[in-house]
Amino acid sequence: MTATLQLALVLLAMGFSQGKQHNYLDQVDQLDAEAEIELSAGPSKFGSLWPLPQKVEISGVSFKLAGVSFKITDAKQSSAGQSCSLLQDAYRRYYDYLFAGAKRQEPGKGRQRLGGPAGLSELQVLITSPDSGCDGYPSVKSDESYELKVDQPYAVLKAPTVWGALHGLETFSQLVYEDEYGAKSINSTTISDFPRFAHRGILLDSSRHFLPIKVILANLETMAMNKFNVFHWHIVDDQSFPYMSRTFPQLSQQGAYHPYTHVYTPADVKMVIEFGRLRGIRVVPEFDTPGHTQSWGKGQPDLLTPCYSGSKPSGSFGPVNPILNTTYEFMTWFFKEISTVFPDAYVHLGGDEVDFSCWKSNPDIQKFMAEQGFGQDYSKLESFYIQKLLDIVATTQKGYMIWQEVFDNGVKLKPNTLIHVWKGNEQQYQSEMANVTASGFQTLLSTPWYLNRISYGQDWQGHYRADPQDFKGTEAQKKLVIGGEACLWGEYVDATNLTPRLWPRASAVAERLWSAKDVTDVNDAYNRLSVHRCRMVERGIPAQPLFSSYCPHEYKGI
């Protein structure tokens, strides 16, 4: 029996329709074929830089670094000095990465030994803009560019804002290597860098399985190592409602897996947001309605639609009930809270996969449909609900992201709405991207980057080749693509396997979203990614291997 046939039988047992099987198996076959490409292992001329900067020049001249004398400090002309706690925190973090807990020496001591042509004793960080961003939050408009020059007598990292400086610190740390004697070294280097796309995200699902805070924080740390800048927190869904609402505490009390152990308190959420901010990462929450809301209904009476069997209620419930005023009163207060808890300018409102069967069975909704002149087109009822919800969220001064179905169903959207494309095969999502951008909307791509779909072999190559601007359209349309997200849905993922499943596979997406469009050499990517993966392992991240190999510093476990 072939592996593909075995997988087909498994999918059938799991309830996959035949059509979904074919779509899924086609993707698996494609990924398997890509994994068969032979890659020649060897050093890259770019070392282990990941994602690859826009412009890099690395010379053969090397300098030594020693933990007792090396320091990261603010340049005298920098607009963000010692009062910028974000930078000071980053300096300590990257010093520890470089020297693995080595003791720092007081300024000035020991410099004579490394101050000559063979040593580098200092990295000076220069923030050039009057508004450094130090006390604020990153946004889709943040300037993340930086310039790095490693030379004698010291290295200089120059950036308009702290967000670019954070990326530059990561790049500097990636340039440092151990020579044949185990000494820390770095080559003379000049880098000019900026991201290709402004939105580079990771979606984690904390509803299907609860994700402990320490797992979320570890992945935010790893996101920073890969220059991702958006944490899309799919925080609630049908299965559980772990978000602890101050306004509606009964939602988590009744809807979470456990009201005390499996919830995110206000302090937890605040911690995640601040941990992300210190690493230049935005936290965008998703509260998906009207579907995916079974857990909501456990704590909020009359929110969901009663389903009928014939003329009598069946005892089950469907999507949010769109015909009750109380529904919109609840949503008004709930999203007012969300707008104050999460500082980002956007909230993700979902809007995908709405099952109309319950609505169709309910006599009150049938009557409402007739009164509104909707006929039997229940997508119009969905649009009715979504439009009222969008108006509610607009009053909170938030922008919104929505899954592509909302656009496909013709809902009236604000010009700054962000359409998130996730459905179909390559041809279908390229067509969708063309349609969305032709309508003047900004868009994000996730379709080729559903990392919960796994296959044997190096499926990262398929993720690496996908490009969000590969569709037929004008240059103006291409500019409306602001990035993409790698998604790790949680049906088969929890704290035990999330991190190794995500990394380094998500790293392939990171380079596609950061580096220049013509950075497509899979062989060079493999050589750099293999070392980058080992660097993540050395930093305590259980990133899974790409292929047969070893790391100089293997994962030590917990």
Side-chain angles (χ1 to χ4, degrees):
M1 184 184 295
T2 67
T4 301
L5 180 56
Q6 287 177 324
L7 181 57
L9 293 175
V10 171
L11 293 174
L12 186 61
M14 290 167 57
F16 276 67
S17 68
Q18 195 171 32
K20 285 186 176 180
Q21 281 188 50
H22 287 313
N23 185 33
Y24 189 79
L25 291 171
D26 284 346
Q27 294 183 48
V28 171
D29 287 340
Q30 180 183 355
L31 291 172
D32 283 342
E34 290 162 347
E36 293 300 321
I37 297 175
E38 292 188 9
L39 299 173
S40 58
S44 166
K45 67 178 181 179
F46 300 114
S48 61
L49 290 174
W50 196 277
L52 189 67
Q54 300 289 335
K55 295 181 181 179
V56 190
E57 293 181 8
I58 303 177
S59 83
V61 178
S62 66
F63 312 116
K64 305 297 184 189
L65 291 80
V68 295
S69 61
F70 184 81
K71 65 177 182 177
I72 307 173
T73 186
D74 302 298
K76 290 182 180 179
Q77 309 95 320
S78 178
S79 63
Q82 292 187 353
S83 61
C84 181
S85 60
L86 180 148
L87 282 181
Q88 302 306 316
D89 179 79
Y91 298 166
R92 289 189 291 270
R93 185 165 69 251
Y94 279 99
Y95 180 93
D96 289 340
Y97 280 159
L98 291 172
F99 302 108
K103 292 183 179 179
R104 296 180 188 84
Q105 185 127 338
E106 292 182 15
K109 290 188 178 181
R111 273 199 216 172
Q112 286 75 16
R113 284 185 293 160
L114 288 171
L120 188 74
S121 60
E122 192 170 310
L123 170 62
Q124 293 189 1
V125 179
L126 174 61
I127 306 299
T128 59
S129 172
D131 182 10
S132 68
C134 184
D135 297 321
Y137 291 90
S139 75
V140 72
K141 296 181 180 179
S142 293
D143 189 335
E144 299 176 277
S145 65
Y146 67 92
E147 294 179 0
L148 178 62
K149 187 173 182 60
V150 179
D151 204 350
Q152 288 284 18
Y154 47 77
V156 176
L157 168 59
K158 185 188 299 184
T161 69
V162 295
W163 317 120
L166 289 171
H167 297 315
L169 287 167
E170 174 60 36
T171 297
F172 181 86
S173 75
Q174 294 182 5
L175 289 168
V176 176
Y177 60 93
E178 290 185 356
D179 66 15
E180 62 269 31
Y181 302 107
K184 299 287 185 179
S185 302
I186 189 169
N187 283 27
S188 175
T189 304
T190 302
I191 289 176
S192 178
D193 199 13
F194 56 88
R196 180 180 168 206
F197 292 105
H199 186 118
R200 308 176 306 282
I202 294 286
L203 178 150
L204 297 182
D205 169 9
S206 61
S207 173
R208 272 68 180 223
H209 287 96
F210 180 79
L211 301 177
I213 286 293
K214 67 177 183 179
V215 174
I216 293 176
L217 298 185
N219 280 279
L220 287 170
E221 188 80 22
T222 318
M223 286 171 63
M225 297 176 197
N226 291 270
K227 297 186 173 68
F228 280 105
N229 68 347
V230 178
F231 171 37
H232 177 167
W233 194 353
H234 189 87
I235 194 167
V236 302
D237 209 293
D238 281 332
Q239 290 77 9
S240 72
F241 198 105
Y243 171 76
M244 185 183 288
S245 168
R246 292 185 185 274
T247 312
F248 300 100
Q250 71 275 13
L251 289 171
S252 61
Q253 287 173 1
Q254 302 297 322
Y257 285 129
H258 190 284
Y260 306 122
T261 61
H262 286 60
V263 294
Y264 301 110
T265 66
D268 291 334
V269 173
K270 188 175 182 179
M271 182 192 303
V272 169
I273 292 170
E274 179 63 9
F275 194 91
R277 186 187 79 87
L278 292 175
R279 287 152 183 80
I281 297 171
R282 302 161 51 200
V283 178
V284 177
E286 180 182 355
F287 292 92
D288 191 357
T289 67
H292 294 275
T293 47
Q294 290 298 299
S295 66
W296 300 51
K298 295 177 180 179
Q300 185 65 20
D302 302 323
L303 181 64
L304 302 185
T305 303
C307 306
Y308 276 68
S309 178
S311 60
K312 297 181 179 180
S314 66
S316 61
F317 295 86
V320 166
N321 193 331
I323 70 172
L324 300 180
N325 289 335
T326 53
T327 292
Y328 302 105
E329 292 170 4
F330 165 80
M331 293 296 174
T332 298
W333 285 105
F334 182 75
F335 280 100
K336 183 178 180 180
E337 174 187 327
I338 296 306
S339 71
T340 61
V341 170
F342 292 91
D344 197 78
Y346 283 85
V347 61
H348 202 302
L349 299 176
D352 63 317
E353 297 182 319
V354 181
D355 184 353
F356 296 152
S357 57
C358 184
W359 282 351
K360 291 179 179 179
S361 73
N362 186 291
D364 293 330
I365 287 186
Q366 293 171 8
K367 180 180 178 182
F368 183 84
M369 292 281 289
E371 291 172 349
Q372 295 293 322
F374 291 164
Q376 295 299 309
D377 186 355
Y378 282 82
S379 66
K380 291 184 178 178
L381 180 61
E382 179 189 7
S383 296
F384 173 86
Y385 166 82
I386 292 288
Q387 185 58 62
K388 291 180 78 71
L389 178 65
L390 298 184
D391 290 342
I392 288 170
V393 173
T395 64
T396 69
Q397 308 303 312
K398 292 284 189 186
Y400 44 74
M401 305 179 190
I402 44 88
W403 295 111
Q404 69 180 75
E405 287 96 321
V406 178
F407 169 80
D408 294 341
N409 290 337
V411 176
K412 184 180 178 182
L413 300 170
K414 290 193 301 181
N416 65 340
T417 301
L418 193 50
I419 314 295
H420 199 161
V421 174
W422 71 278
K423 298 177 71 175
N425 57 29
E426 183 177 13
Q427 184 177 4
Q428 290 168 330
Y429 78 68
Q430 288 177 343
S431 176
E432 182 77 7
M433 298 287 281
N435 291 338
V436 169
T437 54
S439 299
F441 292 106
Q442 291 186 321
T443 184
L444 289 171
L445 180 64
S446 280
T447 306
W449 298 321
Y450 266 40
L451 302 188
N452 47 290
R453 297 171 179 164
I454 58 176
S455 63
Y456 191 80
Q458 299 191 53
D459 59 357
W460 69 270
Q461 297 175 34
H463 307 320
Y464 189 76
R465 289 189 176 92
D467 192 297
Q469 289 184 329
D470 279 352
F471 62 88
K472 294 180 180 178
T474 64
E475 285 305 308
Q477 284 179 254
K478 303 291 178 72
K479 289 181 180 178
L480 290 171
V481 180
I482 68 165
E485 291 184 356
C487 301
L488 192 66
W489 297 99
E491 287 86 351
Y492 303 98
V493 174
D494 68 2
T496 65
N497 64 343
L498 183 150
T499 305
R501 183 165 294 188
L502 188 59
W503 308 103
R505 296 162 73 233
S507 301
V509 184
E511 180 148 297
R512 183 55 50 234
L513 295 175
W514 179 281
S515 304
K517 185 178 178 65
D518 61 359
V519 176
T520 56
D521 186 336
V522 176
N523 195 78
D524 182 70
Y526 174 80
N527 294 328
R528 287 183 291 109
L529 185 55
S530 297
V531 186
H532 179 56
R533 176 255 167 182
C534 284
R535 179 168 46 237
M536 289 190 281
V537 167
E538 184 178 1
R539 293 179 180 182
I541 305 301
Q544 71 178 24
L546 297 177
F547 193 57
S548 301
S549 63
Y550 80 101
C551 292
H553 304 276
E554 294 288 1
Y555 182 63
K556 296 178 181 179
I558 54 176

